[in-house]
Amino acid sequence: MDTVVSPVRPFDASEPHRFARAVSDLRDGFGFWRLAVALAWGDIKQRYRGSILGPFWVTLTTAAMVVALGFFFSSIMKVDPTALFPWLAVSLIFWAMISQAITDGAECFISGEGVIRQIALPFTVHVLRCVLRNLMIAAHNLPLIFVVMFLFGISPGLAGLVFFGGLLIFVVNSFWMAFFFGIVCARFRDVPPILTSLMQLFFFITPIIWMPEQLGDRMAWLSLNPFNALMETMRSPLLGRPIGMEIWLQALGYSAALWALGLTLFTRFRGRIAFWV
Amino acid sequence: MPRIETQDLTIEFPLYHHNARSLKKLLLADAIRRVKRDAESRVVVAALSGLSFTIGKGERVALLGSNGSGKTTLLRTIAGIYEPVAGRLLVEGAIGSLIDSGAGMNPLLTGRENIMLRGLYRGLTKQDRRVMAGEVAEFSGLGEFIDLPIRSYSAGMNVRLSFAMATAINPEILLMDEWLLVGDANFMSKAEDRLTRLVTGVDILVIATHNMDIVRRCCTRAIKLDAGRIVADGPVEKVLGD
């Protein structure tokens, strides 16, 4: 035991070295990935305790929504069902994933307030816990996409693998969204309900229950909606729809801005989070 | 070489989620000592103000002071939970904390699973976690209950488990918030042994306590806090004698 080096933690408020500390927090936080996985899994067990279907309830309600909306739009609004059903299924599932990542991620520090004030852990662990938990829940919905694709005979071929690129962008985004919104919401408690309302708004103005072609010559406005680009990078490869380079550029551009904002906020306010929760 | 060094250490808690107007009226009152405005005119509670001390290897320090004097805040700051808003802090050595012995427990998990979870919180390898689980299960004397969810435990059983878990550490610096009092007479005597062995085995002990018996028995030095400032710092007999 004598040869073990003691850890040294110096802190000088006049020279806080905030960026270096943020980077160490990220690095050390990833070192605790096993803890984050165990906590995420524990959260899911806790949330669905006593229920029979557990997270598959989400799958069931999404399927019900797809069927109901699909029949409504195809029989009453006379939209072609073979294009509509797969579009609806994939869009609803991906939207649920995105909006859950945002609204749940916004609470990642607030919900960890007990542990934050009791145990010194990298803040990245709380974010990882949240992101992993939401990914685990989203994974229960993904089989539904493949069922729909099979039922409607959609087979995108190898090009469908591009979906994983879009998925990777989403995962990194949900990580930084949790940092950004988590910090803002820890400081300003009005923001979580505002976020929920905003997500409801975006549900309607993003092509989810309607298709972009319905906008006609006003389709260019969609480039102002970051969710559109994000959804397209995941959705179009799976459905075999063409996806232009400008969508990828938009997706990466908005994402890079998010990552930069998230890192900036984390660097500046990491030391304050424990005082805010 | 384990040590804790502070210079002008200052911790301030901002009061955001409260009624700002009523707080400003408060500031006008004469009896206010620690609620104040900081450099950016925010209303804060000055929990610790300008603390300077050095604790070296072999010292056992008692933190004394009335409720609200800043003892627990100081312990949490040393543990790395709060970052100073001014001043310097240097902590060298592996820290073990008994401040919140039940932290992070999940009532739906079994006793054993909770021990493994605590091992993950401590960053232990899988092998070390298994060893810890075996040792804690055995010491706590919970028998078959160790593999049942802790929701099904009585209060006494919960205390046994959290005590055994919290004390399954081997740090260089030990932080305590009051001496842990536990369980029935049987358990209490072997718990006392375990805690005493832990306390005498570490390089630095910092314990916040009101129990003068413990102070005289276990500590070499006492630091007395009042309203977030040090008012006395010296050998136990000298500080207690005043």
Side-chain angles (χ1 to χ4, degrees), chain B:
Chain B
M1 182 68 76
R3 66 195 154 117
I4 303 173
E5 252 177 51
T6 73
Q7 255 169 283
D8 293 320
L9 180 65
T10 303
I11 298 272
E12 288 170 358
F13 285 95
L15 300 173
Y16 293 120
H17 312 304
H18 299 266
N19 184 337
R21 210 174 301 151
S22 63
L23 284 176
K24 281 164 193 158
K25 269 198 269 175
L26 180 70
L27 285 173
L28 296 173
D30 288 332
I32 296 306
R33 288 192 295 167
R34 296 161 75 191
V35 181
K36 61 184 195 107
R37 287 183 181 280
D38 69 357
E40 274 127 63
S41 289
R42 288 180 295 224
V43 180
V44 299
V45 173
L48 300 174
S49 304
L51 300 191
S52 300
F53 58 80
T54 302
I55 300 177
K57 178 171 171 161
E59 297 200 65
R60 300 179 192 307
V61 181
L63 287 183
L64 307 176
S66 55
N67 293 326
S69 53
K71 306 189 298 293
T72 308
T73 303
L74 179 56
L75 286 175
R76 293 219 171 111
T77 305
I78 296 172
I81 292 167
Y82 295 126
E83 261 184 23
V85 74
R88 298 216 280 269
L89 169 69
L90 173 71
V91 179
E92 191 176 331
I95 295 207
S97 164
L98 295 180
I99 304 173
D100 291 293
S101 54
M105 301 240 274
N106 182 339
L108 294 180
L109 298 180
T110 68
R112 196 184 300 276
E113 285 167 344
N114 267 296
I115 303 170
M116 297 293 274
L117 183 61
R118 181 65 65 90
L120 282 174
Y121 271 109
R122 291 189 189 153
L124 299 181
T125 64
K126 185 147 199 172
Q127 180 59 12
D128 288 342
R129 291 202 298 274
R130 285 219 198 91
V131 167
M132 176 182 156
E135 196 267 319
V136 169
E138 209 244 295
F139 181 82
S140 65
L142 289 168
E144 59 196 335
F145 275 88
I146 202 76
D147 289 306
L148 290 179
I150 62 178
R151 289 180 68 220
S152 60
Y153 288 9
S154 68
M157 291 162 79
N158 259 311
V159 155
R160 283 183 173 226
L161 180 64
S162 49
F163 176 85
M165 261 206 283
T167 50
I169 49 177
N170 190 11
E172 293 168 294
I173 300 176
L174 181 64
L175 305 174
M176 288 174 74
D177 204 348
E178 286 302 346
W179 195 260
L180 290 182
L181 300 167
V182 282
D184 56 44
N186 270 344
F187 191 70
M188 198 142 52
S189 76
K190 65 172 183 168
E192 277 290 308
D193 277 342
R194 184 173 168 100
L195 195 52
T196 308
R197 237 177 306 127
L198 175 61
V199 160
T200 49
V202 297
D203 293 319
I204 293 181
L205 169 71
V206 184
I207 173 170
T209 181
H210 294 113
N211 186 335
M212 294 310 147
D213 228 20
I214 300 284
V215 176
R216 291 199 166 90
R217 193 158 41 100
C218 300
C219 303
T220 57
R221 172 177 169 189
I223 295 179
K224 188 163 181 188
L225 294 178
D226 181 37
R229 293 177 196 277
I230 296 181
V231 296
D233 181 359
V236 165
E237 283 316 318
K238 185 165 182 303
V239 172
L240 289 188
D242 292 342

Side-chain angles (χ1 to χ4, degrees), chain A residues 18-45:
Chain A
R18 291 194 183 108
F19 185 69
R21 283 178 196 279
V23 171
S24 318
D25 188 295
L26 286 165
R27 190 190 54 233
D28 297 338
F30 273 94
F32 276 98
W33 69 268
R34 284 182 194 81
L35 173 63
V37 170
L39 289 174
W41 193 231
D43 287 340
I44 291 183
K45 275 174 53 165

Side-chain angles (χ1 to χ4, degrees), chain A residues 11-277:
Chain A
F11 187 87
D12 184 341
S14 58
E15 272 170 55
H17 298 299
R18 291 194 183 108
F19 185 69
R21 283 178 196 279
V23 171
S24 318
D25 188 295
L26 286 165
R27 190 190 54 233
D28 297 338
F30 273 94
F32 276 98
W33 69 268
R34 284 182 194 81
L35 173 63
V37 170
L39 289 174
W41 193 231
D43 287 340
I44 291 183
K45 275 174 53 165
Q46 202 151 18
R47 196 177 294 190
Y48 295 107
R49 121 176 110 104
S51 101
I52 299 171
L53 288 178
F56 286 108
W57 273 111
V58 183
T59 318
L60 201 64
T61 49
T62 314
M65 234 290 253
V66 170
V67 169
L69 284 176
F71 274 113
F72 173 74
F73 281 113
S74 60
S75 49
I76 296 176
M77 311 287 264
K78 305 277 188 269
V79 180
D80 168 28
T82 48
L84 181 66
F85 270 89
W87 172 268
L88 265 185
V90 172
S91 303
L92 284 173
I93 288 171
F94 285 145
W95 180 254
M97 206 165 75
I98 294 173
S99 76
Q100 172 89 339
I102 292 183
T103 51
D104 201 70
E107 308 256 321
C108 69
F109 297 126
I110 296 175
S111 61
E113 73 169 287
V115 174
I116 289 175
R117 285 203 300 254
Q118 291 168 332
I119 305 178
L121 271 181
F123 289 100
T124 306
V125 176
H126 300 281
V127 170
L128 277 178
R129 171 188 192 164
C130 191
V131 170
L132 286 171
R133 177 178 66 228
N134 290 319
L135 281 178
M136 287 175 189
I137 294 177
H140 288 82
N141 257 344
L142 288 183
L144 191 58
I145 296 184
F146 297 117
V147 166
V148 170
M149 280 168 65
F150 175 73
L151 282 179
F152 284 84
I154 299 178
S155 159
L158 275 181
L161 290 178
V162 175
F163 151 74
F164 287 103
L167 187 65
L168 182 63
I169 296 180
F170 164 72
V171 173
V172 179
N173 280 350
S174 57
F175 180 77
W176 288 109
M177 280 195 285
F179 265 114
F180 181 78
F181 288 115
I183 291 176
V184 170
C185 293
R187 174 65 182 84
F188 298 107
R189 298 302 172 100
D190 322 51
V191 179
I194 293 176
L195 266 184
T196 308
S197 302
L198 270 179
M199 293 313 285
Q200 283 168 352
L201 173 67
F202 271 99
F203 175 78
F204 290 107
I205 64 179
T206 310
I208 297 168
I209 54 178
W210 50 274
M211 301 177 82
E213 289 73 41
Q214 292 170 267
L215 279 181
D217 51 4
R218 280 179 288 185
M219 255 177 83
W221 285 96
L222 282 178
S223 56
L224 286 179
N225 184 344
F227 296 113
N228 181 57
L230 190 59
M231 297 261 289
E232 282 289 289
T233 58
M234 291 192 286
R235 176 173 52 196
S236 295
L238 285 182
L239 294 176
R241 283 167 56 95
I243 173 169
M245 197 25 103
E246 75 277 4
I247 293 284
W248 284 105
L249 286 176
Q250 282 170 32
L252 288 169
Y254 282 120
S255 302
L258 172 68
W259 306 344
L261 268 176
L263 183 59
T264 306
L265 229 64
F266 183 52
T267 301
R268 177 64 187 83
F269 296 113
R270 183 195 46 86
R272 306 296 299 156
I273 298 174
F275 293 100
W276 291 348
V277 286

